[in-house]
Amino acid sequence: MEFRNIVFVVTEECSCPLYNVGEEFSVQNSALSVERDKPVCLLMVRELLKALSSTKPMEQRISLQPQSKAKFECGGCTGLIRFEHKKDRPYSTLQMNLLKAAEQRAKQQIIAQFFGILRDMELFEPLSDFDLQDLAMMMKMKGYPPNKIIIEEGERGTNFYVVLSGKVAVVRKDSEIIAEIEPGGIFGEMSLLSGELTYPSVYSRTACQLATLNSKDFKHVLSKYPILQIFFYRVLVNRAQENTLRQGKISSGMSGDLTEINPVDLFQMINSGGKTGRVSFELEGGEVGEALFNEGEVVSCAFGVLTDKDAFFAILVQQKGRFTYTKGLTAEEKRLPVLGGFMGLVMEGLQRIDEQQEIGDE
């Protein structure tokens, strides 16, 4: 039996791994097609074939109850969806098609406005313009007024967000702002990737425009573009390291950003932990530096042409750049004399900073 131009729409969904409410799929010339190149669920195909192979033709079954729609259900896996036949009337189909086309054009205009932001993001760098436009069409645009909760701590993650305009803040329970996210930044991915509850809360600091992907579409995108999985793997590692740093811990191979932790706090963690190793710095403007610790005490330091204490004091004031901690020193480095008592060095360095600020104010 051949079926022509039969369209279905998902009306209910509970933990379905593939489809969302409102998505459509159609049977045309006995072939099933779904939206946005999503995979076709074979279990759903089986349920459709059962429905379409009934003893009464589809058209007759629908016409028996003109006030209701033919309803079907697929619950063959871990989830459940219910879908209905979308009855097409000539006078309404044109109106709906025009409305859908208008919505599509409006969305394309919004995407065109913010496409440059998406194109410049490191996350989407591996994608071609065509693939990025296709991905952007899957996103929903949401606007938020200032001081609106977007993600509340302790909830199950449901969406991945990209900031297109405005600014959002990441906030702990004690109301401390951990970070601010500006256009081109992302959030919400940690809960989707790890399956853990959301932490911490996120709210809009200003009026903002966000592009979102729900959890199923997010997983579909990762499956369709495996190269993006590498980026999110790095994000997971970096966030885990940031959380470890906030807990006052440091381990070999750990790296981070000086906007997240300043050199004074970083050095204090190494000193209090009695660590032996080196901290390498890549600072704004291309400058590099290095500090060597033996059992928590500073034994050598370099920054540009500066060495020892002068280099240590210069590194203390750095606010932008990245660091990497590596465990262990060579036997020769372990024999280097201590530059001075750690707390004494820090206090002298902070005093120099205050003096320089006073000179600058004058």
Side-chain angles (χ1 to χ4, degrees), residues 258 263 266-267 270 276-283 286-294 297-316 318 322-330 332-334 336 339 342 345:
L258 294 182
L266 176 63
F267 288 162
I270 296 172
T276 296
R278 68 186 71 239
V279 187
S280 302
F281 295 92
E282 294 181 8
L283 302 167
E287 293 180 297
V288 296
E290 185 176 64
L292 275 55
F293 287 78
N294 188 12
E297 296 294 340
V298 185
V299 295
S300 179
C301 203
F303 180 72
V305 297
L306 302 177
T307 59
D308 297 333
K309 286 187 178 182
D310 290 334
F312 182 82
F313 299 146
I315 290 176
L316 287 185
Q318 301 305 311
R322 292 192 62 79
F323 72 87
T324 301
Y325 171 74
T326 306
K327 180 181 178 181
L329 297 176
T330 66
E332 183 178 353
E333 289 170 336
K334 287 182 179 180
L336 292 172
L339 292 183
F342 177 78
L345 278 176

Side-chain angles (χ1 to χ4, degrees), residues 88-103:
D88 295 329
R89 296 186 179 93
Y91 65 84
S92 64
T93 300
L94 178 59
Q95 295 172 354
M96 294 303 295
N97 287 342
L98 290 174
L99 178 61
K100 190 171 183 179
E103 292 175 345

Side-chain angles (χ1 to χ4, degrees), residues 81-290:
I81 61 169
R82 292 188 175 92
F83 49 95
E84 298 178 350
H85 175 265
K86 185 178 178 182
K87 191 171 183 180
D88 295 329
R89 296 186 179 93
Y91 65 84
S92 64
T93 300
L94 178 59
Q95 295 172 354
M96 294 303 295
N97 287 342
L98 290 174
L99 178 61
K100 190 171 183 179
E103 292 175 345
Q104 193 86 340
R105 285 195 300 272
K107 187 172 183 179
Q108 288 174 338
Q109 290 175 352
I110 294 174
I111 290 172
Q113 181 181 353
F114 296 110
F115 186 80
I117 294 175
L118 300 178
R119 181 70 285 172
D120 290 339
M121 289 175 61
E122 181 186 359
L123 166 60
F124 300 127
E125 187 176 341
L127 301 184
S128 66
D129 285 351
F130 176 82
D131 286 336
L132 183 55
Q133 288 170 350
D134 189 55
L135 185 153
M137 289 301 294
M138 295 180 65
M139 293 178 162
K140 292 183 178 179
M141 306 298 161
K142 292 185 178 181
Y144 290 86
N147 301 314
K148 181 75 174 178
I149 288 288
I150 303 170
I151 295 179
E152 191 158 6
E153 180 180 338
E155 296 180 342
R156 183 69 59 186
T158 58
N159 288 280
F160 163 69
Y161 299 86
V162 177
V163 180
L164 299 177
S165 67
K167 186 184 296 185
V168 304
V170 183
V171 186
R172 295 196 313 199
K173 281 184 177 179
D174 58 4
S175 299
E176 179 186 354
I177 295 178
I178 299 175
E180 291 184 344
I181 306 175
E182 298 182 341
I186 63 174
F187 62 97
E189 76 287 346
M190 291 297 291
S191 182
L192 298 183
L193 291 168
S194 66
E196 298 177 354
L197 299 180
T198 54
Y199 172 82
S201 298
V202 180
Y203 77 95
S204 54
R205 293 212 74 181
T206 66
C208 59
Q209 184 85 7
L210 308 178
T212 73
L213 279 175
N214 63 41
S215 57
K216 280 195 285 289
D217 287 345
F218 179 72
K219 292 174 183 176
H220 168 60
V221 166
L222 292 185
S223 176
K224 185 175 181 181
Y225 305 110
I227 189 67
L228 300 184
Q229 296 178 23
I230 299 174
F231 176 88
F232 283 112
Y233 173 76
R234 294 204 310 267
V235 169
L236 279 174
V237 172
N238 289 339
R239 295 283 170 84
Q241 291 185 351
E242 289 171 7
N243 291 336
T244 302
L245 284 173
R246 292 191 186 105
Q247 295 168 6
K249 301 176 182 178
I250 190 166
S251 58
S252 185
M254 181 173 288
S255 61
D257 199 298
L258 294 182
T259 58
E260 297 287 339
I261 179 170
N262 61 57
V264 175
D265 292 339
L266 176 63
F267 288 162
Q268 284 180 335
M269 281 197 304
I270 296 172
N271 173 257
S272 62
K275 300 289 186 179
T276 296
R278 68 186 71 239
V279 187
S280 302
F281 295 92
E282 294 181 8
L283 302 167
E284 191 177 48
E287 293 180 297
V288 296
E290 185 176 64

